[in-house]
Amino acid sequence: MLLMIPIAATLLSLLTSAAVNGPSEMEALQVLQRTVAVLGGIEAIKNITAFSYDARTIYRSQTLTQSYGLKRSDQSVSAAGAQIMSFRARNGMLQERIDRVYSYNDYWIWAWPTLAPVINYSVVVEDGPDGFACFNRGQNSFYANDHTVALGYADPYLTDYLVHQAHQFALPWLIKQFLAAPSLAMHDIRDPLTDVTLPGIEHPTLGLTLVVKNDLPYMVRSYEQHKIFGNSTSDVLFSTYSTFGDVLLPRRFQTVYNTFNMVEDFFVDILRINPPWPADYFEPESSKTSRASPQQSLDYPRSEVHEFFETALWGGPFGFDALNVTVEYPIPAIPAIKSVWVGYADYVQLLVEFDEYFLITDASPFRSKILIKWVAQNSAKKIAYVVPSHHHRDHAGGVADYVAAGATLVVPEIAQDYYSNVNGGEIKFATYTEENPFILSDGKLQFRAFWHPESPHAVDWSYGVATAACPKDDTGVVVFNADVVDPGDFNNQGPVYPTSNAVRWDAGYARQWVFAAAQDRVPRSALIVGAHGSTYVQNVSNVMTLEKVVDITGVLYPDIGASTWADRRRCG
């Protein structure tokens, strides 16, 4: 919300007042005064009431949620695109409109025959306690059946993120908020590469820090709590300054997460100041959804909404609870090996019941607390081990919940550092390597997790196998496979794509895994439970045989029986 205080008078009074709270605030005001002077002066800044960034040649984005590597973003979302970000201060509020069009890179579209490769949406945002975000055209959703249909008003958590993002990007407006603030504080921001420190000015209410370099705004920093990385920073960096009328403003904007990862990059070809927009340019247009004011939540932190929305994976709050848990038994003769899902069957996990505890594969956000609650309601045993298949957020975003509930985190050795800040660093690890897979057995059941270097899909990708502790050749064996094989037939109210065509999974990746499975002596008769099914919600299948995958990939798989998994010392 814009503070309607005379800017020049406020700055002058703060600089001369005995009420300035010590050297830190005085220094912050002096840094701010020099920055304003370099940008063009107080009057020039004050006269900007509206402006827009028109990025026609460069709009690119990357994802931290779906990267192959662990700590560095290496997978793009927008391969090419353009956008206009428009801002206006009116009636004490900041208004924003984003008109964005971009193309997915092939990572996202090859597995979805019906997914249009181009996203095109327009959203209007207004801050304040009664603020809102409303999609007047289209939506930024990977999952929408038709993303050209306007979403309408966003949920409160997405609204909060979009308002916060508007504050970070609206630099002329933001400078005025710092000038009008009743108090400021300053601390040094250290650059980890050069060890150089830069002055950072904290705004008392916006939760933003203006970092200055050579008397120009260098970045606006937001501090966040990330469920995997712990204390994190989300920065908007400014560069390539040019003169527009009487003011000096940046043309390059980059969103950088935790200093190293650039997740958004655009270049302003045209910057307009006080343009003559139509009266309804920032007005919401929706009658199908209700307005939702911005709201923050520990269950849906801003860091998570940011990650999911900007990769078009945000679907709003998860609307299920423990009453919506479904349990199935892939091998009826071994009921202790269960497949479980919450709400809908396009995300499935294995829940293996040992004599004294449970082991669960994967740790999806939102579902994690629900499954912990469901287990507590239905058993005196607890989930003692959580085994994420890989670090992607839909498979590991709920790790912290299981760890906080006392579970041991089972990951490949190379991934241990990635998870080191989960639950404030209070973690019990069980790690494994290619030579020494994770093995858990209680004399009745066994579970093994396997990892190989240069795995398909993610560097830490792994798969799990559950069966009896002393299997015979006709004993059932269950393989948990996430993303590399998605079982089932694909039918989106149109032509049926049979499993044999591997429409929603890559046969090349699957072939790599089949060779690894043979190396790990996985029985040819094994049944695969996929984390994701290959059909939409109303017709999902999450199970198929390894034999079928062998047929699809054309691998000459060896004739391995389940009895090879029996421990001769224990099983006789």
Side-chain angles (χ1 to χ4, degrees), residues 65-81:
T65 68
Q66 300 294 126
S67 59
Y68 182 82
L70 286 164
K71 285 196 170 183
R72 300 291 181 265
S73 176
D74 55 29
Q75 184 61 256
S76 69
V77 179
S78 168

Side-chain angles (χ1 to χ4, degrees), residues 457-480:
H457 195 61
V459 70
D460 62 323
W461 187 88
S462 62
Y463 69 98
V465 182
T467 187
C470 298
K472 302 183 183 304
D473 279 337
D474 61 351
T475 301
V477 177
V478 177
V479 175
F480 179 75

Side-chain angles (χ1 to χ4, degrees), residues 456-457 461 481-486 504-507 509-511 513:
H457 195 61
W461 187 88
N481 189 304
D483 292 335
V484 172
V485 173
D486 292 331
R504 266 194 61 189
W505 46 281
D506 189 317
Y509 282 174
R511 183 179 175 90
W513 171 70

Side-chain angles (χ1 to χ4, degrees), residues 346-520:
D346 198 32
Y347 190 88
V348 175
Q349 298 166 255
L350 276 191
L351 184 65
V352 184
E353 184 175 3
F354 291 88
D355 271 346
E356 298 180 358
Y357 48 77
F358 287 95
L359 174 149
I360 194 164
T361 61
D362 269 2
S364 175
F366 321 135
R367 294 169 175 84
S368 51
K369 289 183 178 180
I370 293 172
L371 287 172
I372 291 170
K373 179 180 179 181
W374 181 85
V375 167
Q377 290 174 345
N378 291 275
S379 174
K381 303 174 187 178
K382 294 185 177 182
I383 298 174
Y385 295 90
V386 56
V387 190
S389 58
H390 57 296
H391 70 281
H392 291 176
R393 289 278 275 165
D394 56 328
H395 297 270
V399 157
D401 296 324
Y402 291 107
V403 170
T408 295
L409 178 58
V410 182
V411 294
E413 189 176 87
I414 63 162
Q416 181 172 351
D417 184 61
Y418 173 81
Y419 292 103
S420 61
N421 290 322
V422 166
N423 195 41
E426 297 294 323
I427 316 167
K428 292 178 291 184
F429 279 107
T431 63
Y432 56 100
T433 63
E434 181 179 33
E435 295 78 16
N436 296 292
F438 174 76
I439 301 176
L440 190 66
S441 177
D442 66 354
K444 296 179 181 178
L445 288 177
Q446 62 172 304
F447 176 90
R448 305 186 191 185
F450 296 95
W451 169 85
H452 295 275
E454 299 186 14
S455 293
H457 195 61
V459 70
D460 62 323
W461 187 88
S462 62
Y463 69 98
V465 182
T467 187
C470 298
K472 302 183 183 304
D473 279 337
D474 61 351
T475 301
V477 177
V478 177
V479 175
F480 179 75
N481 189 304
D483 292 335
V484 172
V485 173
D486 292 331
D489 296 337
F490 188 94
N491 177 16
N492 184 24
Q493 302 172 346
V496 174
Y497 300 91
T499 298
S500 57
N501 286 341
V503 172
R504 266 194 61 189
W505 46 281
D506 189 317
Y509 282 174
R511 183 179 175 90
Q512 297 172 31
W513 171 70
V514 169
F515 274 90
Q519 177 182 332
D520 299 328

